[in-house]
Amino acid sequence: MCRDHSQNDPYFYVELGYQPTAMEAKVATARILIIDDEPSIHTVVSAYLDAEGFEHLSAMDGPSGLKAARSFKPDVVILDVMLPGMDGIELLANLRRDSDVYVIMLTARTEEVDKIVGLSVGADDYLTKPFSPRELIARIKAALRRLQGATSSAEGALVLTFAHLRIDLSERRVWLGQQLIELTAIEFDLLVTLAQNQSMVLSREQLLEKVWGYEYFGDTRVVDVHIGHIRQKLGDDRLIQTIRGVGYRFEDKG
């Protein structure tokens, strides 16, 4: 059973007696890297990761975190925005030059700018402190299921062909005409989800559940920012249409 380290701590919601249940979907063993300068974060999150059987490593500052990300080869990185030596935004920008590891950013700030900047430089998801450790574990599991599902379904996968776009599901590549479009892992999955439901309007909540793998319980801005990235890379806003007040629709019929 995971001890209640979160009582009276400003970074967490109190959760008593957490342990994995039979109803929670299991995922294969994975490596998790925690980069945060708060010891209590490492203590609590490590306890929850231990309860799940995940291998994990901790780093307390930006430079050592970046070094660990490149040597430890994690499946998921938990990254704080405010770090000594190198802040989380700079670390992530450096990391994204040679890695598409799934990154969940943590921030103690309430300003929207932290969230938007983090997502803009390549974060896949974010949590605002104080946060529920159980919610963090749920998001980690969802990310791992998505990543493992993409790997297991690669063999025999099809190529989605549209008037302008071609999406190879096995190689996880996208072409606009003859041009190869470089997308992050989360951007690719988001585009595939929309493309597989061409002409259908998907709400932000549906996209959160289908792509991120968890039920909606937070800001849908994460979807909007990643949609913006995809549009920018495709160079054509008409392929992904905004349905005001509802969500998004993919259209590429020529």
Side-chain angles (χ1 to χ4, degrees):
M1 179 176 293
C2 181
R3 294 180 60 195
D4 176 31
H5 298 279
S6 58
Q7 282 193 347
N8 302 319
D9 193 297
Y11 301 108
F12 306 98
Y13 295 120
V14 174
E15 294 183 332
L16 297 174
Y18 170 77
Q19 63 181 11
T21 66
M23 294 184 65
E24 291 181 300
K26 299 297 181 183
V27 294
T29 301
R31 291 183 168 194
I32 314 299
L33 173 61
I34 311 164
I35 309 175
D36 198 294
D37 63 339
E38 293 292 340
S40 62
I41 294 285
H42 293 274
T43 300
V44 173
V45 174
S46 293
Y48 277 75
L49 294 175
D50 285 337
E52 297 292 341
F54 292 138
E55 183 179 356
H56 56 87
L57 181 68
S58 292
M60 300 293 292
D61 58 60
S64 62
L66 182 60
K67 182 178 180 180
R70 288 172 170 161
S71 61
F72 185 56
K73 303 296 183 183
D75 299 290
V76 176
V77 174
I78 302 166
L79 175 63
D80 190 26
V81 170
M82 300 300 293
L83 292 169
M86 176 192 303
D87 67 33
I89 301 299
E90 183 181 354
L91 189 157
L92 182 56
N94 279 280
L95 182 60
R96 280 292 179 246
R97 295 172 184 170
D98 51 33
S99 173
D100 63 352
V101 64
Y102 196 95
V103 175
I104 302 174
M105 294 207 77
L106 303 179
T107 175
R109 299 180 182 177
T110 56
E111 290 86 354
E112 286 296 309
V113 65
D114 274 349
K115 303 171 185 177
I116 301 306
V117 172
L119 294 171
S120 296
V121 297
D124 298 287
D125 200 357
Y126 68 85
L127 280 173
T128 301
K129 299 175 185 178
F131 65 89
S132 159
R134 194 168 194 170
E135 179 180 329
L136 175 60
I137 293 297
R139 295 200 188 190
I140 291 172
K141 284 185 172 183
L144 293 172
R145 282 194 296 268
R146 182 181 60 78
L147 295 171
Q148 292 160 6
T151 300
S152 62
S153 64
E155 184 176 351
L158 301 176
V159 175
L160 304 179
T161 303
F162 303 95
H164 303 93
L165 281 185
R166 181 162 55 93
I167 305 174
D168 189 318
L169 301 181
S170 60
E171 295 187 2
R172 295 181 66 82
R173 292 184 176 181
V174 177
W175 286 267
L176 180 62
Q178 298 300 313
Q179 179 186 2
L180 179 63
I181 306 298
E182 297 290 342
L183 298 177
T184 66
I186 203 75
E187 290 166 1
F188 180 87
D189 291 338
L190 186 53
L191 178 60
V192 167
T193 299
L194 288 164
Q196 288 177 329
N197 295 275
Q198 180 167 216
S199 300
M200 293 180 59
V201 178
L202 297 180
S203 69
R204 293 169 177 83
E205 292 79 7
Q206 287 175 311
L207 290 169
L208 277 171
E209 183 175 356
K210 290 176 180 292
V211 178
W212 280 262
Y214 53 82
E215 294 182 358
Y216 172 68
F217 44 63
D219 193 347
T220 57
R221 183 69 63 85
V222 65
V223 175
D224 299 333
V225 173
H226 285 296
I227 289 288
H229 292 168
I230 297 171
R231 284 171 166 168
Q232 184 178 25
K233 292 178 179 181
L234 294 178
D236 189 345
D237 291 351
R238 295 172 297 178
L239 296 175
I240 301 178
Q241 304 169 4
T242 300
I243 309 302
R244 188 174 298 276
V246 182
Y248 297 98
R249 176 174 60 205
F250 176 84
E251 287 282 1
D252 186 16
K253 297 180 179 180

